[in-house]
């Protein structure tokens, strides 16, 4: 846990005000074309105790409660953060099953508090310098704005669609080329915070841990069963880093801006996913081909891609976890069947865990509160679904009824349960 009190909250509020003002000044300097001043403010940001303190607080909150380390002196830890030197924390490599291929694994880096704080610090400092395309939505309203854009274009008649996705996007970037494409950050900072090839790794798969703490890039580990996974993880920029999404969007923005998109074609981009929308199949197909060729010749690539979906929107299609349907001369969205089934499994699992008779009333209430948070969080992703409010109300009502039964069973007042 991190020790927090009135003094901590007061310091954090002051730090947030300073950090916010500095970000605004950097943004204004970049927009005015005063790059010298912007670079000076960037260095000031990266060396600022207040900015480091805000980054540390955000990093701590991003870590799951059960995995949060004990921090007895957050001020001391914030002062010690050095984006120019990086961190030597051991990084866990998690081998997780892929949703599209359950028998295959994807590798996600699980960073510690210090490294994650450095990533957040660098990402926030880099944001004012990021020249993203207007149709990139990861940092412009997220999935909701991307879905809104698709619905708008469908209403305007752009119903021929082709969805293109980059294969292993993060791992496909050439590290040496990335170094030259991320001004104004010093190369050492890019290497140590963004790419992180120097970091010691610990591979975890199905309860088995393969320690690679002593291994460095280039070491001979070919005899090990996990050598391929380690080598794959070392490529490109790390999956799971707080700064990788912004870096990837910045790298892709150049290709998007240089792509010669016809006036009769619309493009929606979310992270490494591209949805091409046109009024004819020929226009959509031609643009998809041009996009894939541009990705292959990306300055930090080559980036290979695949077509996930192609056809007419009126036939229905999935995109970013949403199912688009055409009913009564109008397009609607709802969660895909896979997302609904995943929600049902998780929700039932949470309820089953909460109703364990061996638990105390307080623990049961806590787990039901977790189920409530899950319902709200999941529904917020699908707020453009017409049936979302009714769906959410039904689940929340059911969860609250269970809480009331537990309260009456254990004869505890509601205030105590909360």
């Amino acid at each position: 846990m991190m020790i927090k009190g009135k003094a901590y909250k007061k310091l954090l509020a002051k730090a947030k005000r300073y950090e916010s003002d500095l970000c605004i000044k950097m943004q204004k300097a970049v927009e005015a074309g005063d790059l010298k001043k912007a670079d000076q403010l960037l260095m000031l940001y990266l060396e600022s105790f207040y900015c480091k303190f805000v980054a540390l607080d955000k990093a701590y909150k991003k870590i799951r409660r059960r995995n949060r380390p004990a921090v007895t002196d957050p001020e001391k830890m914030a002062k010690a953060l050095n984006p120019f030197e990086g961190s030597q924390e051991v990084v866990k490599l998690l081998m997780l099953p892929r949703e599209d291929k359950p028998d295959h694994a994807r590798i996600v880096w699980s960073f510690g508090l210090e490294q994650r704080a450095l990533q957040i610090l660098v990402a926030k400092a880099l944001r004012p310098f990021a020249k993203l395309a207007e149709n990139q939505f990861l940092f412009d309203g997220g999935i909701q704005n991307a879905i809104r854009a698709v619905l708008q274009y469908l209403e305007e008649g752009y119903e021929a669609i082709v969805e293109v996705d980059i294969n292993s996007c993060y791992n496909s970037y050439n590290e040496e080329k990335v170094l030259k494409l991320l001004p104004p950050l010093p190369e050492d900072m890019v290497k140590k915070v963004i790419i992180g090839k120097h970091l010691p790794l610990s591979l975890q798969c199905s309860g088995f841990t393969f320690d690679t703490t002593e291994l460095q890039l280039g070491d001979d580990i070919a005899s090990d069963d996990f050598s391929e996974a380690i080598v794959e993880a070392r490529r490109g920029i790390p999956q799971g880093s707080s700064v990788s999404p912004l870096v990837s969007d910045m790298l892709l923005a150049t290709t998007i801006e240089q792509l010669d998109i016809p006036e009769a074609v619309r493009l929606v981009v979310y992270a490494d996913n591209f949805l091409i929308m046109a009024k004819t199949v020929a226009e959509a197909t031609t643009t998809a081909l041009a996009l894939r060729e541009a990705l292959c010749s990306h300055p930090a690539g080559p980036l290979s891609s695949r077509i996930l979906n192609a056809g007419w929107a009126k036939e229905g299609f999935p995109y970013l976890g949403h199912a688009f349907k055409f009913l009564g001369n109008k397009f609607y969205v709802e969660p895909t069947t896979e997302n609904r089934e995943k929600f049902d499994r998780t929700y039932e699992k949470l309820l089953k865990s909460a109703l364990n008779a061996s638990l105390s009333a307080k623990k049961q209430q806590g787990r039901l509160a977790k189920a409530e948070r899950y319902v709200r969080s999941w529904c917020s992703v699908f707020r453009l679904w017409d049936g979302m409010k009714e769906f959410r109300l039904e689940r929340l009502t059911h969860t609250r009824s269970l809480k009331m039964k537990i309260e009456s069973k254990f004869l505890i007042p509601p205030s105590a349960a909360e």
Side-chain angles (χ1 to χ4, degrees):
M1 61 174 291
M2 185 183 292
I3 297 178
K4 297 182 179 183
K6 290 184 178 180
Y8 180 92
K9 293 179 180 179
K10 185 177 180 180
L11 176 59
L12 181 60
K14 184 178 180 180
K16 285 182 176 180
R17 288 194 298 270
Y18 177 87
E19 189 265 351
S20 178
D21 289 343
L22 198 52
C23 285
I24 292 173
K25 290 178 181 178
M26 272 197 294
Q27 186 68 51
K28 288 182 177 179
V30 172
E31 292 174 353
D34 191 347
L35 297 184
K36 182 178 180 180
K37 182 178 179 180
D39 288 348
Q40 291 174 344
L41 291 170
L42 172 68
M43 291 300 112
L44 180 62
Y45 186 99
L46 293 169
E47 295 172 351
S48 165
F49 162 72
Y50 286 143
C51 296
K52 293 177 183 179
F53 194 77
V54 171
L56 180 65
D57 183 77
K58 290 182 178 179
Y60 187 81
K61 291 174 180 176
K62 278 183 172 288
I63 299 175
R64 289 186 175 183
R65 290 180 182 272
R66 64 174 179 268
N67 296 331
R68 289 175 180 173
V71 181
T72 57
D73 192 344
E75 291 184 47
K76 182 179 179 180
M77 186 173 186
K79 289 177 182 178
L81 291 175
N82 189 336
F84 301 92
E85 295 296 330
S87 168
Q88 284 299 319
E89 279 183 327
V90 176
V91 181
K92 295 178 182 178
L93 288 186
L94 307 179
M95 295 188 68
L96 306 176
R98 289 176 51 174
E99 292 186 2
D100 56 338
K101 295 181 180 179
D103 55 335
H104 290 69
R106 64 185 181 94
I107 301 174
V108 177
W109 297 49
S110 179
F111 295 94
L113 178 59
E114 183 181 351
Q115 188 65 25
R116 190 165 292 281
L118 288 173
Q119 293 165 0
I120 291 174
L121 179 73
V122 171
K124 199 66 184 292
L126 194 58
R127 185 67 181 89
F129 297 87
K131 297 179 181 178
L132 305 181
E134 62 178 12
N135 49 5
Q136 286 181 280
F137 290 99
L138 181 59
F139 292 91
D140 184 16
I143 289 179
Q144 301 304 314
N145 277 6
I147 298 298
R148 286 190 182 96
V150 174
L151 286 171
Q152 177 185 333
Y153 295 149
L154 289 173
E155 290 177 3
E156 294 172 0
Y158 298 92
E159 299 179 4
I161 61 165
V162 178
E163 184 181 0
V164 177
D165 187 73
I166 300 175
N167 297 317
S168 302
C169 182
Y170 287 4
N171 295 127
S172 298
Y173 290 119
N174 182 294
E175 304 89 359
E176 295 302 319
K177 295 178 181 178
V178 170
L179 289 175
K180 301 175 183 178
L181 294 172
L182 283 181
L185 295 179
E187 284 196 6
D188 282 347
M189 189 179 299
V190 176
K191 289 180 180 179
K192 293 177 180 179
V193 178
I194 295 178
I195 297 176
K197 279 191 174 295
H198 70 291
L199 295 171
L201 306 178
S202 176
L203 182 64
Q204 296 189 348
C205 175
S206 301
F208 179 83
T209 301
F210 175 69
D211 188 16
T212 64
T213 302
E214 302 300 324
L215 295 177
Q216 299 296 326
L217 184 66
D219 288 349
D220 183 12
I221 54 176
S223 61
D224 191 89
D225 292 338
F226 297 107
S227 61
E228 185 177 344
I230 298 295
V231 172
E232 178 69 15
R234 291 289 194 188
R235 294 195 185 105
I237 58 178
Q239 183 90 26
S241 166
S242 294
V243 70
S244 289
L246 177 60
V247 169
S248 181
D249 256 28
M250 291 175 68
L251 294 173
L252 293 176
T254 305
T255 296
I256 296 169
E257 293 289 2
Q258 294 177 351
L259 191 64
D260 186 16
I261 301 177
E263 291 185 7
V265 175
R266 298 291 181 267
L267 180 65
V268 176
V269 184
Y270 185 82
D272 58 355
N273 183 280
F274 303 77
L275 184 66
I276 299 162
M277 308 178 69
K279 294 188 176 182
T280 67
V281 172
E283 289 173 326
T285 304
T286 301
T287 305
L289 179 61
L291 171 63
R292 298 185 71 188
E293 290 177 351
L295 291 172
C296 283
S297 58
H298 190 281
L303 304 177
S304 66
S305 60
R306 54 179 174 161
I307 294 179
L308 296 182
N309 193 17
W312 288 101
K314 286 184 177 179
E315 297 174 358
F317 67 98
Y319 182 62
L320 299 181
H322 291 67
F324 285 78
K325 296 184 177 182
F326 185 73
L327 299 169
N329 296 320
K330 186 178 180 180
F331 284 97
Y332 297 88
V333 291
E334 62 181 35
T336 59
T337 301
E338 293 78 11
N339 268 319
R340 284 289 299 272
E341 292 175 349
K342 184 178 180 180
F343 170 87
D344 290 339
R345 289 195 301 271
T346 304
Y347 180 62
E348 291 301 325
K349 183 178 179 180
L350 289 171
L351 294 186
K352 184 177 180 181
S353 172
L355 298 177
N356 187 336
S358 64
L359 296 177
S360 65
K362 185 176 180 180
K363 286 188 176 181
Q364 285 186 309
Q365 295 283 11
R367 295 189 180 186
L368 285 174
K370 184 177 180 180
E372 281 189 345
R373 291 195 297 272
Y374 175 69
V375 171
R376 293 182 185 279
S377 175
W378 188 86
C379 289
S380 68
V381 177
F382 299 100
R383 65 176 70 109
L384 297 178
W385 169 33
D386 287 344
M388 184 275 290
K389 290 183 179 180
E390 181 180 355
F391 180 90
R392 181 181 61 188
L393 180 60
E394 289 178 357
R395 272 61 184 180
L396 290 178
T397 301
H398 178 59
T399 308
R400 288 165 184 166
S401 68
L402 293 176
K403 291 179 73 173
M404 292 177 65
K405 288 181 180 179
I406 292 174
E407 289 172 6
S408 61
K409 178 181 177 181
F410 286 88
L411 299 177
I412 59 176
S415 59
E418 294 174 359

